[in-house]
């Protein structure tokens, strides 16, 4: 099945930080794929803006190399690459000075959508906004896109929001959390609100608990300096896992529109109870088989930053009272798994003999890899010998069910950039949402700092520290296995 492509309006997209890692790895390869899918209008322009003294040709060469590096060979026809590169332009610009701004102003066309992607360090956001304003490059139909991390605590997030608000309205600001662009994350909303089947059971009366896991096999090597100041809480929980939690727990919005969806997510964040320190386990990977430990990767031998975190969260509202949400995420774990597992309660009364066994249903939404859904149901074990119950999976891998191949499914960045051009903010974080997430996160971080808490060591290639297992064991539950 080939996905339906709806072309977007003509645009000029300026990427500040156009020669940086994100632009080369994700943004421009993503745009190339939208181009080959036929979604980019013929006169669309992508303008790289950065400090390096390049011209259009130099930038095109750089992006041609990036496409060769990040797009598989069978998905890049040289003719397409050549045609795509013609859409690219470059302006050498000084975010804090005057160089390049007049040239950028002249390049921008009237009557097309203007989008400015701030793929730069957040401490330049204010300068960029100011220069765009000074040089009158901001038109009415303009949007800005900002990347995570959006602040490192409530105070810095507020100050960033205030800085941007000087020149842009909230409906012009697109704060990216790339998890929201993932196909299966959106599927979570489709599954919950597009079916009658799940919603009546989607509450504390029928759901025993929810597990959200984002496990990665990679370490932090290469970005240790950033990561050591963030840790798993700031890098993953405050944003990506929080978004997954919100989409799982929120009330049905009245419409699938930006504010209706974001209002409901915000209510979930505001209903989160503070987490007692006994309900948080932080871990840090050691080294093994010649692979560096976290401390070596971070080049900080006394680091107390967590590369793993597990926590038990309560949402204090009518729907979820008594149903814990267990979250865990970590680096250098046994396997790459991102999933949301909803464990239902057992039936209230069994009509079968005690030795028939009992099972609880479980719905798992696999975000990656192998995107799909798995519903565990109870059936009779086939064969003679009376009624014995077993659990079987109703397992669906989306790619098989929809006869898709990987290239039909847009990557998160592709979708999100096209949403920016379309002016659809549903999959972007609103300012108050980000602030509420920090308001919940800050006291947890402060509390472990005050206590001088040190993360528990764990072996790479495992499911994290032992204490994380205990977090569920002591409640009579167990984590889903992270299979090798
Ligand atoms: C990023 C984090 O936002 O998300 C990284 O900074 C993490 O530490 C990455 O590895 C995970 O994204 P994905 O799409 O690979 O699950």
């Amino acid at each position: 099945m080939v996905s339906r492509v709806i072309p977007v309006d003509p645009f000029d997209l300026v990427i500040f930080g156009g020669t940086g890692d994100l632009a080369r790895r994700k943004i421009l390869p993503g745009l190339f794929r939208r181009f080959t899918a036929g979604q980019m209008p013929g006169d669309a322009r992508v303008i790289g803006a950065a400090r390096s003294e390049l011209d259009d040709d130099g930038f095109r060469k750089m992006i041609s190399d990036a496409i060769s590096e990040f797009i598989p060979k069978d998905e890049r026809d040289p003719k397409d690459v050549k045609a795509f590169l013609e859409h690219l332009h470059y302006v050498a610009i000084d975010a804090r000075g005057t160089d390049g701004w007049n040239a950028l102003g002249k390049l921008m066309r009237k009557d097309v959508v203007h989008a400015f992607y701030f793929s730069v360090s957040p401490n330049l956001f204010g300068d960029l906004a100011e220069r765009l304003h000074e040089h009158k490059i901001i038109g009415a139909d303009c949007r800005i896109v900002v990347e995570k991390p959006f602040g490192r605590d409530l105070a810095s997030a507020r100050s960033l929001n205030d800085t941007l608000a000087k020149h842009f309205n909230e409906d012009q600001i697109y704060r990216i959390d790339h998890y929201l662009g993932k196909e299966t994350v959106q599927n979570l909303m489709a599954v919950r609100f597009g079916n009658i089947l799940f919603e009546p059971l989607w509450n504390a009366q029928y759901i025993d608990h929810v597990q959200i896991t984002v496990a990665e096999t990679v370490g932090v090597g290469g970005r240790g300096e950033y990561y050591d100041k963030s840790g798993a809480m700031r890098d993953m929980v405050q944003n990506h896992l929080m978004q997954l939690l919100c989409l799982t727990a929120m009330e049905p919005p009245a419409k699938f529109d930006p504010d209706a969806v974001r209002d409901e997510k915000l209510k979930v964040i505001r209903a989160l109870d503070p987490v007692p320190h006994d309900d948080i386990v932080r871990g840090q990977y050691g080294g093994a088989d010649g692979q560096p430990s976290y401390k070596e990767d971070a080049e900080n031998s006394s680091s107390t930053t967590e590369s793993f975190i597990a926590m038990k969260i309560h949402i204090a509202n009518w729907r979820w009272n008594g149903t814990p949400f267990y979250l865990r995420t970590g680096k250098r774990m046994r396997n790459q798994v991102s999933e949301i597992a909803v464990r239902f309660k057992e039936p209230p009364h069994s009509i079968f003999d005690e030795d028939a066994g009992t099972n609880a249903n479980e719905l798992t939404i696999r975000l990656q890899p192998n995107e799909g859904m798995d519903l565990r149901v109870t059936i009779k074990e086939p064969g003679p010998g009376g009624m014995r119950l077993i659990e079987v999976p109703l397992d669906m891998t989306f790619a098989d069910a929809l006869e898709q191949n990987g290239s039909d499914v847009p990557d998160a960045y592709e979708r999100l950039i096209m949403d920016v051009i379309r002016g659809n903010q549903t999959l972007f974080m609103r300012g108050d949402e980000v602030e509420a997430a920090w308001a919940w996160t800050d006291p947890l971080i402060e509390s472990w700092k005050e206590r001088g808490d040190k993360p528990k060591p764990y072996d790479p290639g495992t499911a994290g520290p032992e204490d994380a297992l205990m977090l569920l064991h002591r409640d009579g539950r167990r984590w889903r296995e992270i299979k090798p």
Side-chain angles (χ1 to χ4, degrees):
M1 200 190 80
V2 175
S3 21
R4 203 154 41 102
V5 170
I6 304 169
V8 295
D9 289 336
F11 63 84
D12 283 347
L13 166 65
V14 181
I15 306 172
F16 293 110
T19 54
D21 191 56
L22 184 73
R24 290 178 47 261
R25 187 182 290 274
K26 290 283 181 191
I27 306 175
L28 281 138
L31 283 162
F32 171 71
R33 289 186 44 154
R34 290 296 87 206
F35 171 78
T36 54
Q39 200 167 25
M40 250 171 77
D43 62 350
R45 279 189 187 167
V46 179
I47 302 160
R51 258 190 318 201
S52 318
E53 285 299 333
L54 283 178
D55 57 12
D56 286 0
D57 285 343
F59 184 56
R60 288 173 182 168
K61 167 80 179 68
M62 173 187 271
I63 301 311
S64 164
D65 293 346
I67 291 174
S68 306
E69 191 175 345
F70 298 113
I71 303 262
K73 200 165 182 197
D74 58 349
E75 290 171 30
R76 52 178 156 91
D77 182 329
K79 271 195 258 128
D80 287 341
V81 177
K82 189 166 176 283
F84 172 71
L85 294 177
E86 280 164 21
H87 290 263
L88 307 190
H89 301 267
Y90 185 81
V91 181
I93 216 153
D94 177 3
R96 296 210 155 116
T98 51
D99 291 354
W101 291 96
N102 285 339
L104 179 63
K106 276 194 201 130
L107 208 55
M108 305 296 289
R109 295 168 297 169
K110 290 209 169 63
D111 306 326
V112 296
V113 172
H114 287 177
F116 301 97
Y117 201 128
F118 290 10
S119 179
V120 295
S121 155
N123 59 22
L124 289 178
F125 289 179
D127 292 296
L128 290 178
E130 197 62 44
R131 299 287 95 75
L132 284 169
H133 175 73
E134 251 170 46
H135 293 268
K136 302 195 174 40
I137 304 178
I138 306 177
D141 198 6
C142 100
R143 294 115 216 222
I144 58 162
V145 185
V146 292
E147 268 294 330
K148 139 179 193 289
F150 198 85
R152 54 172 284 106
D153 52 20
L154 177 59
S156 53
R158 265 196 190 136
S159 133
L160 274 182
N161 275 336
D162 292 346
T163 303
L164 296 179
K166 282 190 197 139
H167 299 299
F168 302 97
N169 299 327
E170 182 60 35
D171 64 6
Q172 295 179 299
I173 305 173
Y174 289 70
R175 295 176 194 78
I176 287 209
D177 181 315
H178 79 281
Y179 264 58
L180 289 174
K182 288 184 192 271
E183 188 76 5
T184 340
V185 175
Q186 294 165 69
N187 239 322
L188 189 56
M189 283 187 276
V191 167
R192 282 195 62 196
F193 306 128
N195 296 287
I196 188 82
L197 207 58
F198 301 110
E199 205 46 29
L201 303 180
W202 210 261
N203 56 53
Q205 195 182 344
Y206 297 106
I207 293 181
D208 179 69
H209 72 280
V210 176
Q211 294 185 18
I212 301 181
T213 300
V214 179
E216 297 178 279
T217 52
V218 292
V220 304
R223 56 203 287 264
E225 201 191 331
Y226 148 78
Y227 193 92
D228 206 40
K229 294 195 199 93
S230 302
M233 184 68 161
R234 287 192 170 99
D235 185 53
M236 296 293 287
V237 176
Q238 186 272 347
N239 36 76
H240 305 325
L241 276 85
M242 179 68 79
Q243 292 296 326
L244 301 181
L245 171 83
C246 284
L247 295 176
T248 310
M250 71 185 186
E251 296 301 315
K255 279 193 206 154
F256 188 57
D257 89 7
D259 278 332
V261 171
R262 296 183 300 175
D263 285 348
E264 295 308 334
K265 287 197 291 163
L266 180 62
K267 284 186 212 158
V268 174
I269 304 175
R270 288 189 172 151
L272 297 180
D273 268 347
V275 186
H277 66 80
D278 284 350
D279 288 350
I280 302 183
V281 177
R282 297 163 65 236
Q284 195 185 73
Y285 62 82
D289 305 331
Q291 300 264 27
S293 65
Y294 173 82
K295 289 190 172 75
E296 286 160 343
D297 273 342
E299 294 178 21
N300 177 0
S301 58
S302 58
S303 172
T304 56
T305 301
E306 75 286 353
S307 59
F308 170 96
I309 190 163
M311 57 208 304
K312 175 177 168 184
I313 294 181
H314 279 112
I315 304 174
N317 63 20
W318 276 47
R319 186 189 278 260
W320 294 116
N321 186 38
T323 295
F325 281 64
Y326 298 97
L327 268 52
R328 64 178 162 168
T329 181
K331 306 279 186 205
R332 297 274 275 133
M333 296 183 68
R334 187 175 298 139
N335 210 343
Q336 191 206 9
V337 179
S338 296
E339 63 176 29
I340 300 167
V342 178
R343 182 87 181 169
F344 291 89
K345 292 188 173 168
E346 291 188 0
H349 164 73
S350 174
I351 64 166
F352 306 108
D353 289 348
E354 247 178 54
D355 50 8
T358 50
N359 288 304
N361 299 114
E362 188 167 270
L363 174 71
T364 308
I365 303 192
R366 292 189 300 270
L367 309 178
Q368 60 190 30
N370 201 13
E371 289 86 341
M373 263 169 64
D374 171 11
L375 179 63
R376 301 245 139 202
V377 291
T378 299
I379 61 162
K380 175 187 172 300
E381 190 175 299
M387 178 64 86
R388 288 185 312 274
L389 304 180
I390 53 164
E391 209 184 49
V392 288
L394 284 177
D395 194 345
M396 177 177 70
T397 297
F398 294 144
D400 298 342
L402 303 173
E403 294 173 22
Q404 279 174 330
N405 65 45
S407 59
D408 290 339
V409 183
D411 153 273
Y413 274 92
E414 294 174 45
R415 173 183 313 272
L416 294 174
I417 296 167
M418 290 298 112
D419 276 359
V420 172
I421 307 296
R422 280 191 205 100
N424 185 342
Q425 287 186 305
T426 311
L427 301 177
F428 295 83
M429 293 178 299
R430 209 167 55 192
D432 50 1
E433 213 185 317
V434 180
E435 289 185 13
W438 282 121
W440 174 80
T441 310
D442 280 0
L444 307 182
I445 297 178
E446 265 151 39
S447 144
W448 74 58
K449 286 223 162 110
E450 260 166 37
R451 280 181 297 112
D453 180 83
K454 290 207 174 64
K456 307 276 181 302
Y458 63 95
D459 289 334
T462 64
E466 283 286 310
D467 290 33
L469 304 181
M470 290 314 295
L471 191 64
L472 268 77
H473 279 189
R474 65 175 202 217
D475 293 346
R477 300 180 174 114
R478 56 199 326 201
W479 288 109
R480 282 170 54 80
E481 203 189 337
I482 296 180
K483 296 206 176 97

